[in-house]
Amino acid sequence: MAPYFRKFRHQNRDFAIAAALAALLTAGFGAWMALRVAGVDVSQAVDDVGEGVAALLAAAACAVAAWRHRGRMRLAWALLGASALVWTAGEAAWSYFELILKQEVPFPSAADAGFLAAVPFAVAGVAFFPGRHRAASRLASLLDGAIIAGALLLISWATVLGTVYLAGSDSTLSMLLGLAYPISDIVIAVMALMLLGRTAGVARLPLLLVVTGLFASLLTDSASAYLTAGKSYEKLQLIDTGWVAGYLLVALGAIRAALSAAPAAQADDRPFGRWTLVLPYVAVTIAAVLAVLKNVGGAPDPFLLWDLIIVVGLVVIRQLIVIWDNYALNQKLESQSAALRDSEAHFRSLVQNSGDVVVLADAQGVVRFVSTSIDRFFAYTATELEGQAFSEFLHPSDRAAFAAGLKKALTASAMPVGVDCRFRHKLGSWTHCEVTITNLLHRSSSQALVLNIRDVTDRKEMEERLAYLGAHDPVTNLPNRIAFRNQVDEALERSAPGRAIAVLALDIDDFKLLNDALGHRTGDDVLGMVGGRLGKIVSAGDVVARIGADEFGILMKTVLNDDQPVRLAERIFQHFRTPFKVQEREMVMRLSIGITGPAALEDTAENLMRNADIALNAAKARGKGRYERYEPTQHAAISDRMDLESDLAHALERRQFVLHYQPAVRLRDGTIIGFEAFLRWNHPRRGLLAPGDFLELAEETGMVSALQRWVLGQACADGRRWQLKFPAEPALQVSVNVSQRGLTEADLVADVTQACTAAAFSPAQLVLELTQGATLEGKAIVPRLLELHERGVSVALDDFGAHAAPLSALRDLPVDIVKLDHSFVARMATSPTDATVARAVIDLGNALGMMTIADGIERADQLAALREMNCPAGQGYYLSRPLPVAGVDRLLAECARDGGLILPAFRLDRAG
């Protein structure tokens, strides 16, 4: 708003400056004419030039106003500017006679042509200012102006002008030109007066200034013509100031219009005012009386007669237009009345047959009108409720809500306010309704509160059904997890010291087997039976819910001692020893139960349910079919596992994994024949972690494949580097452990090939070590191993002799190396049986042409015993611990000093 006010203030300031300048110029011109400063000749020049300059200023201002507007307003100002410009030309002709030729201006002359030619432009310009929309209204206004103009001309002729012009005219042309001035002035004046009353808003002040200027000019014209016709017009007349003032007023009007620059012409079709209707007839009546008196008292005057005939004809045409206009208006009114009647009938039909009951009430809620549709919904007649308070038909518990809604509607005019309540049926039942209150008290057409009553019983029932489904399990009809959590929250809020709550989480053991064997429909039946049996076991008031696929929750709302949840768990186990009858067979459902509670004051529902789940998982991990109470250490273990899993997800890309290598040694001379790669995780907080700390987690999360791919690539790259730096015959081998998950990967062969190719490492020096469990599962494993063996990769059977491994594995698998399990090596000295088994494995490997490597050599006596058994190779802490890459480099450098890759300890033995 501030920019608008600043602009308005600047417009008023600029217009005030222009008005002040115009006033000063007019006053100065008038004073000069009166005082004749510097003599007659100079004053004459000032008179002629001043009038021309004033008209030229008006023309320029009108041109600017036309440029600033558009449409009819642009054309109106352009025509007014043209009128002023033509008048300037007439004034130039006048000045030529007086100032250049130094003679009196003849009458008529070229100047009169310019002055009179300005009249049509001025009339057209005034006519194009905003007026009426309808053609009939515009024509009526023009006819009114013409009638008044004709009547005024008749009155003027009958009183003054006729006598003067007839007496003072030398010729017919002089008489006609003399008449043209007052006639044109009268036409302009009348049209301007008629249009001034029809102009609105911003355009009124500019037009008022223009009309005032035109009046000043036309009065000066009339006076000048009167004096000229009477041979009494002289140079330097004071009345000449009227032309200067008139055109400066026109210029001010144009300046005001240019400053305001309304976006479009504003037309108006408001009814004519009383003075506008009466004015033409008053003028005609006066003119007719004067014409009759003039013609009766003397000889008939043809001018008066023809003027009167024309005026009467215009009046007749005007009346015909009025009659036609009235007829059109009556037709339109009848059409609108018919449309209104149809609309009213249509509205009445909608109200009476709509799905809502419409009630009109006063500000106090007293019923004034009821639609007939109330009979269909509530069995009342339309008049039974009239005069009674609407709230009397509402349920007592809903009346306060309705009163609040009514109060809100009274303060929020025309804004609908909705209230849910129950409305009494005539038979006494209650119907759920939605009442919409709209305040129309301020409208004269209604002056009432409109109450729309809609039966929402079906919607309420659907909402209740959806709410039930949203809070209950559809299979067991027990509360679901969300509803159970809400009830735990409510129970926590009501708990008190000495009266705590507890939560139990129950899971059906091996329920997936039942689903797979008997189908999901039978599984759903079993879930329903389990839920029903649990509901009979718990105490009254306690809650049983289904909170997972085969998981149930129990909320004990009153726990008086710590053993109470345990006794409930034992009672559940006892009742579940009774079998369920499922498809003509009896089945015993074993449960695992996690218990948390009694709850502390700071516990939340989410924490209690989480802790019960943690305890449940602990029960399943310890053998199923039992219960476990929650311990804080359980949560710490889970949190630790989650942290480790999160770190594991980024460990590979952050290059936190490293390989350590343990040498495999030929036992007869101590020559290093290869290295076994062991994966380590260099954790930023936990330090160096062995595979047992994270490998199971990697398999569960699916990371083991990526880890195995990395180990293969890194081990081949390290092995190739050692082969180049420490050449030996045969070349050093590298062994990589392959897990069960790794053997089942379809890309195992491609991964091994890629690792060897990338490192330029021969597949003949790569050994894949398999556990016994890995060799006995999966139909695709054996063909995959055979393909690798064909490509030169050696296969080692790790931990041989343990886990009851069948000897058929040596027959069916392409095994090149047998690794004697470290348990036999550890007990050889104390157990003849273990020593015998170790010797048998070594002899079997030698007989089958396989290299036997004894694992776990930790003492000198074990090394001696194995050498005595002709064991080809071995590895263990006694020979060397697993070393990082830098440690392997140092070990190989030390072994290679005297040629070959013999461990220093074996060199000492040989030297000794």
Side-chain angles (χ1 to χ4, degrees), residues 383-656:
T383 58
E384 284 185 76
L385 274 68
E386 292 182 4
Q388 301 188 58
F390 183 80
S391 59
E392 293 298 323
F393 294 88
L394 301 180
H395 194 279
S397 59
D398 297 334
R399 292 173 184 172
F402 175 77
L406 184 64
K407 182 179 180 181
K408 184 177 180 181
L410 290 173
T411 57
S413 178
M415 292 296 294
V417 177
V419 180
D420 289 334
C421 52
R422 285 160 290 180
F423 195 86
R424 187 176 70 239
H425 194 277
K426 191 172 183 177
L427 299 179
S429 60
W430 297 100
T431 302
H432 286 281
C433 296
E434 180 184 66
V435 180
T436 303
I437 309 171
T438 307
N439 182 6
L440 299 182
L441 292 169
H442 61 288
R443 293 191 181 179
S444 58
S445 58
S446 54
Q447 294 184 346
L449 294 172
V450 180
L451 282 66
N452 293 83
I453 309 173
R454 175 170 297 178
D455 185 351
V456 294
T457 302
D458 293 341
R459 191 190 75 186
K460 282 289 184 181
E461 291 177 354
M462 180 60 69
E463 288 176 353
E464 292 173 358
R465 176 62 179 165
L466 290 175
Y468 180 84
L469 292 176
H472 289 77
D473 169 52
V475 175
T476 62
N477 285 326
L478 294 174
N480 59 19
R481 187 178 190 88
I482 296 175
F484 184 71
R485 183 178 59 201
N486 293 338
Q487 295 199 47
V488 174
D489 271 328
E490 294 173 2
L492 281 171
E493 292 176 359
R494 293 193 298 267
S495 63
R499 188 173 176 271
I501 69 169
V503 174
L504 284 73
L506 303 88
D507 186 85
I508 303 175
D509 294 335
D510 303 319
F511 182 74
K512 186 178 183 303
L513 296 177
L514 184 148
N515 259 342
D516 294 341
L518 303 180
H520 288 278
R521 179 174 296 181
T522 301
D524 289 345
D525 293 339
V526 171
L527 290 173
M529 289 186 286
V530 169
R533 184 172 294 185
L534 290 174
K536 295 177 182 178
I537 297 172
V538 301
S539 303
D542 291 348
V543 179
V544 178
R546 184 188 176 197
I547 58 177
D550 58 343
E551 187 176 348
F552 293 83
I554 296 177
L555 168 62
M556 300 180 67
K557 295 185 177 181
T558 305
V559 177
L560 303 178
N561 55 71
D562 292 351
D563 294 336
Q564 192 172 338
V566 174
R567 291 199 299 270
L568 174 61
E570 292 172 346
R571 192 161 65 249
I572 291 172
F573 285 139
Q574 181 179 357
H575 281 77
F576 270 74
R577 293 192 184 101
T578 304
F580 291 89
K581 191 171 184 180
V582 181
Q583 290 187 354
E584 304 302 327
R585 68 181 74 183
E586 292 187 344
M587 300 183 65
V588 175
M589 296 291 112
R590 297 174 67 246
L591 301 178
S592 297
I593 302 176
I595 303 171
T596 181
L601 294 177
E602 65 274 9
D603 280 330
T604 63
E606 198 65 39
N607 287 344
L608 289 174
M609 294 175 66
R610 180 203 64 196
N611 295 343
D613 274 336
I614 291 173
L616 172 62
N617 292 332
K620 296 180 77 68
R622 293 174 184 173
K624 305 180 181 179
R626 55 182 292 153
Y627 68 83
E628 288 289 339
R629 301 196 68 158
Y630 171 74
E631 299 292 340
T633 55
Q634 297 171 348
H635 180 252
I638 291 179
S639 298
D640 182 71
R641 178 184 172 86
M642 288 180 62
D643 292 340
L644 194 64
E645 182 177 341
S646 176
D647 295 339
L648 184 62
H650 305 286
L652 192 58
E653 63 186 46
R654 293 172 181 172
R655 300 185 179 183
Q656 294 175 353

Side-chain angles (χ1 to χ4, degrees), residues 16-71:
I17 293 173
L21 290 174
L24 287 174
L25 290 174
T26 303
F29 184 86
W32 199 303
M33 293 300 102
L35 299 175
R36 300 187 180 186
V37 180
V40 176
D41 293 336
V42 175
S43 298
Q44 181 66 41
V46 171
D47 184 5
D48 293 339
V49 174
E51 292 171 4
V53 169
L56 193 59
L57 287 175
C62 289
V64 173
W67 176 70
R68 292 277 290 162
H69 288 79
R70 61 179 182 269

Side-chain angles (χ1 to χ4, degrees), residues 74-85:
R74 171 174 289 182
L75 184 57
W77 285 113
L79 289 170
L80 284 178
S83 174
L85 193 61

